[in-house]
Amino acid sequence: MPATVVVGTQWGDEGKGKLTDLIAKEMAMVVRYQGGHNAGHTLVVDGETFALQLIPSGVLYGHITPVIGNGVVVDPGVLLAEIDKLEAKGVDCGRLKVSGNAHLIMPYHGELDRATERRLGKNKLGTTKGGIGPAYADKASRVGLRVQDLLDPKIFRQKLEVVVKEKNALLAKVYNRLPLSADDIADRYLGEYAPRIEPLIADTVSLVHEALDAGQHVLLEGAQATFLDLDHGTYPFVTSSNPVAGGACVGAGIGPRHIDRVVGIAKAYVTRVGSGPFPTELFGSVADDLIERGHEYGTNTGRRRRVGWFDAVMMRQAVRLNSLSEIALTKLDLLDPFETVKVCVAYEVNGERHEHLPYHQSDLHRAVPIYEELPGWGADLSAATHLADLPAAAQDYVAFLAEQAGVPIRLVGVGPGREQFVHFAA
Ligand code: GDP
Ligand code: IMO
Ligand code: MG
């Protein structure tokens, strides 16, 4: 059976958690393929809210095997706290599997993330400060420790000894920070974390292939989003992994021929948290209103998100980069009170019209959005369950976005709850 990818098409927080949970109903396995606890995926089920960071959003279903793939960076302390929190709410995490090839986030990664941000001052990236970037950097530098190293205390201590020496020099000499103790770290990781993580460690590549070979359906859940992608995002204001659909192959261990459906999640407007270009950004009372009504504050960090109108130029690029087969549009209900709703259909850069993303990022900083203004619907959509429940103006807005993107919009979210969505196109 083929695999499906869920991918964010903007700058994150599009509602991937909600959509993954929704689609997971028909799946046997949900695999997180990149990122780490920088993600915050919210599910609202029967009025109860679950904010997931590392555990795949299918975990609430008893029939799903949730898998943390090799492409993820894992802070074991965060993972265990998340398991405890879910289990306290009655969610069974016993089926969770963690790839032995996933890299570990170590205490010096968090230290370095925070120290780098402090040093950058007003030029900071606005990271989530959890050590994601430094952990991926160590992976690329081939000095990372992996989840499977927890199974071999001798190797773990040997590797750690070497790395900590270098990190301490960096922390002390460049960032004026106190050194870390390799022994303390090893005691915590091997003594406290390893016994609880060990039963979860698995050859997840084999698990995924066994599921596919058995004709089961596998869902690959992206974190972050297309324009936070290390290669394709608004560099350097990006994360350090590849959220784009292609990253799902690497981060789960499958080839592209296994994937036959790529669902791009898009908010009916756009948000971004952290620094970087944002052509359709809104300020003033319209922004304040959307932020407050939309609760646009970071799931983990509590930071106020930036907001802007829907950007069809970026969406066309997201369609290309991910081979989107369809879009799921979320938070349409947040546009309910507007008399008119704007959509950016192209940019003007140096007097020229661009329907596709300008290649040079300086042009993106200079891009002036060209808007089409559509009539609002002035009605509460939150109780809509069928297409016919959406007023004509709301249907027209969604149809316009689909036409601009060039791919169908199949699901439309009208509220945070699992059941608050409408099938828009077959
Ligand atoms: P993710 O990181 O992509 O999973 O998204 P987040 O969970 O960080 O942010 C999305 C927020 O929007 C969460 O609070 C969701 O509960 C909420 N949400 C998702 N879909 C809808 C929707 O259609 N309408 C409304 N009002 N809220 C939604
Ligand atoms: P989900 O999966 C929104 C942003 C940070 C920062 C940049 C780099 O919930 O959509 P990092 O800590 O990854 O090195 O930070 O990326 N960022 C996110 N923004 N949603 C996320 O995840 C994000 N994960 C990282 O704000 O700008
Ligand atoms: Mg989020």
Side-chain angles (χ1 to χ4, degrees), residues 175-198:
Y175 297 108
N176 206 18
R177 309 294 299 168
L178 293 172
L180 299 171
S181 151
D183 281 340
D184 288 353
I185 298 173
D187 289 348
R188 176 142 49 103
Y189 276 62
L190 295 171
E192 203 180 311
Y193 301 152
R196 290 194 61 197
I197 301 275
E198 196 178 326

Side-chain angles (χ1 to χ4, degrees), residues 51-182:
L52 304 174
Q53 292 187 264
L54 276 163
I55 297 183
S57 299
V59 69
L60 299 192
Y61 293 104
H63 69 277
I64 297 270
T65 304
V67 173
I68 294 178
N70 55 274
V72 175
V73 284
V74 178
D75 182 322
V78 174
L79 177 61
L80 293 173
E82 192 173 337
I83 292 173
D84 290 343
K85 217 160 119 190
L86 282 170
E87 299 216 313
K89 287 186 169 195
V91 178
D92 175 17
C93 296
R95 290 157 288 119
L96 178 67
K97 300 291 171 211
V98 183
S99 166
N101 283 0
H103 276 246
L104 288 169
I105 295 189
M106 306 298 289
Y108 43 81
H109 292 138
E111 284 281 329
L112 287 167
D113 197 351
R114 291 183 287 276
T116 313
E117 284 286 89
R118 261 195 304 272
R119 197 183 50 141
L120 285 170
K122 68 176 179 28
N123 296 320
K124 69 178 182 194
L125 303 185
T127 74
T128 55
K129 298 187 180 157
I132 307 294
Y136 276 116
D138 278 2
K139 174 179 175 176
S141 299
R142 295 156 296 180
V143 293
L145 275 83
R146 296 191 293 176
V147 167
Q148 60 178 291
D149 293 327
L150 291 170
L151 302 173
D152 193 332
K154 198 168 153 224
I155 295 278
F156 187 96
R157 283 182 190 274
Q158 265 173 14
K159 287 187 180 177
L160 186 66
E161 202 70 47
V162 176
V163 186
V164 166
K165 232 178 241 156
E166 190 202 339
K167 301 298 179 193
N168 277 343
L170 192 59
L171 283 169
K173 295 197 174 118
V174 178
Y175 297 108
N176 206 18
R177 309 294 299 168
L178 293 172
L180 299 171
S181 151

Side-chain angles (χ1 to χ4, degrees), residues 288-403:
D288 293 344
D289 169 57
L290 260 179
I291 290 166
E292 292 314 315
R293 283 189 302 106
H295 310 294
E296 296 296 357
Y297 292 91
T299 313
N300 305 319
T301 59
R303 286 182 295 169
R304 185 181 148 108
R305 295 174 182 148
R306 301 155 67 193
V307 290
W309 294 118
F310 189 91
D311 187 334
V313 179
M314 302 208 82
M315 187 53 60
R316 282 178 212 122
Q317 183 77 352
V319 169
R320 285 179 165 178
L321 291 171
N322 298 295
S323 300
L324 294 187
S325 40
E326 62 193 87
I327 292 170
L329 193 71
T330 60
K331 298 193 115 170
L332 184 64
D333 52 303
L334 265 300
L335 302 181
D336 289 353
F338 289 109
E339 266 177 39
T340 57
V341 189
K342 288 187 184 177
V343 178
C344 168
V345 294
Y347 298 151
E348 190 187 307
V349 184
N350 302 329
E352 264 180 49
R353 185 183 167 98
H354 288 248
E355 309 232 329
H356 287 283
L357 202 69
Y359 168 69
H360 202 293
Q361 199 157 302
S362 303
D363 288 342
L364 190 62
H365 285 273
R366 281 194 286 269
V368 179
I370 300 171
Y371 288 113
E372 290 236 359
E373 203 158 343
L374 282 79
W377 42 93
D380 178 1
L381 300 186
S382 62
T385 51
H386 293 90
L387 182 56
D389 301 331
L390 297 185
Q395 292 193 29
D396 290 348
Y397 176 73
V398 178
F400 184 74
L401 299 191
E403 183 194 305

Side-chain angles (χ1 to χ4, degrees), residues 12-18 40-44 267 294-295 299 305 329-334 412-416 420:
D13 305 322
E14 297 91 348
K16 296 176 291 295
K18 174 182 162 165
H41 294 182
T42 317
L43 323 179
V44 181
K267 252 181 217 178
H295 310 294
T299 313
R305 295 174 182 148
L329 193 71
T330 60
K331 298 193 115 170
L332 184 64
D333 52 303
L334 265 300
V412 175
V414 292
Q420 287 182 289

